[in-house]
Amino acid sequence: MPNMEYFAFDDSTMMAEAKILKAPPAKKEKNPAHAAFLSALIPGAGQIYGGSQWWMAPVFWGGMAGTICAVSWYNTYYNDFRAEYKYRIATGEMKDYTYFTNDALVERMQQAEKQRDLWILGTVGVYLLNVLHANVAVQLSEFKVQRKHREAIERDEIMKTLTFSPVMMAPAPGIDQNPTPGIGLTFSF
């Protein structure tokens, strides 16, 4: 603190103010429910609020945009096939899609409807995954590793319990007479 010589060393008020000014602001903990709420309002907002997983927001935006485009695409085909079928039933003439019979037109209409409905489910799935991810990402960013686990990781004890090694697998009966190369996974307790 500049000009410290002008103040007496026992001036507790000035010293307390200097400590407050030098101390960094306390880290504010993030609320997982708030992150989920933000992502429910605007997909990706909870990831940005969480901070550590901000780069996932464009992934969810792309997922939402892609699934919504697919819904729109199949809905357009469904409406076109439906309008053509209604026109054929009403007039007995073919306007568009002259290469489809009425049965083929109904089949295509049902297929487009099925695909549209599946993509609607996909859109809902991406949306719910976005909300869930925001909640879990904030919870895990606030998670503190206990000292005994951190020390075990540092001593590399965890990696000693799991080993991969090349193996020659016995041939399957009746299929092949030669052993097959593979990878063995060994757990040690």
Side-chain angles (χ1 to χ4, degrees):
M1 186 168 164
N3 299 328
M4 201 62 182
E5 63 271 1
Y6 293 115
F7 302 104
F9 216 83
D10 61 343
D11 191 357
S12 59
T13 307
M14 193 56 135
M15 296 304 282
E17 287 178 4
K19 287 181 182 178
I20 290 172
L21 291 175
K22 288 182 180 179
K27 185 179 176 189
K28 197 173 180 184
E29 289 192 17
K30 310 271 183 176
N31 185 353
H34 187 66
F37 178 73
L38 288 174
S39 275
L41 286 179
I42 303 169
Q47 283 78 9
I48 294 171
Y49 166 77
S52 65
Q53 296 277 321
W54 63 267
W55 55 271
M56 285 296 289
V59 172
F60 286 115
W61 295 334
M64 292 292 289
T67 55
I68 289 171
C69 285
V71 168
S72 174
W73 176 273
Y74 284 110
N75 192 46
T76 301
Y77 274 115
Y78 171 74
N79 289 333
D80 286 349
F81 291 141
R82 187 168 184 243
E84 174 67 18
Y85 185 71
K86 282 179 154 182
Y87 180 79
R88 287 183 185 183
I89 296 299
T91 63
E93 299 174 2
M94 292 184 186
K95 184 168 99 178
D96 295 325
Y97 303 108
T98 56
Y99 40 88
F100 288 138
T101 64
N102 284 351
D103 292 336
L105 197 60
V106 168
E107 184 181 325
R108 293 293 174 121
M109 182 176 60
Q110 290 172 344
Q111 185 179 17
E113 181 182 26
K114 179 182 174 185
Q115 289 295 318
R116 179 199 63 190
D117 294 346
L118 287 174
W119 280 106
I120 288 172
L121 286 175
T123 303
V124 170
V126 170
Y127 175 78
L128 292 176
L129 186 63
N130 159 55
V131 173
L132 179 68
H133 179 269
N135 187 316
V136 171
V138 170
Q139 283 181 357
L140 290 179
S141 70
E142 299 295 326
F143 180 72
K144 306 286 188 255
V145 177
Q146 292 182 359
R147 180 176 296 169
K148 65 180 180 180
H149 299 305
R150 189 178 318 120
E151 289 172 358
I153 291 170
E154 289 170 359
R155 289 191 309 260
D156 202 27
E157 288 179 7
I158 304 242
M159 296 311 289
K160 291 177 186 175
T161 62
L162 179 67
T163 56
F164 292 95
S165 59
V167 296
M168 292 301 284
M169 300 172 68
I175 296 176
D176 193 10
Q177 300 301 323
N178 299 326
T180 307
I183 297 176
L185 176 65
T186 307
F187 288 106
S188 303
F189 295 103

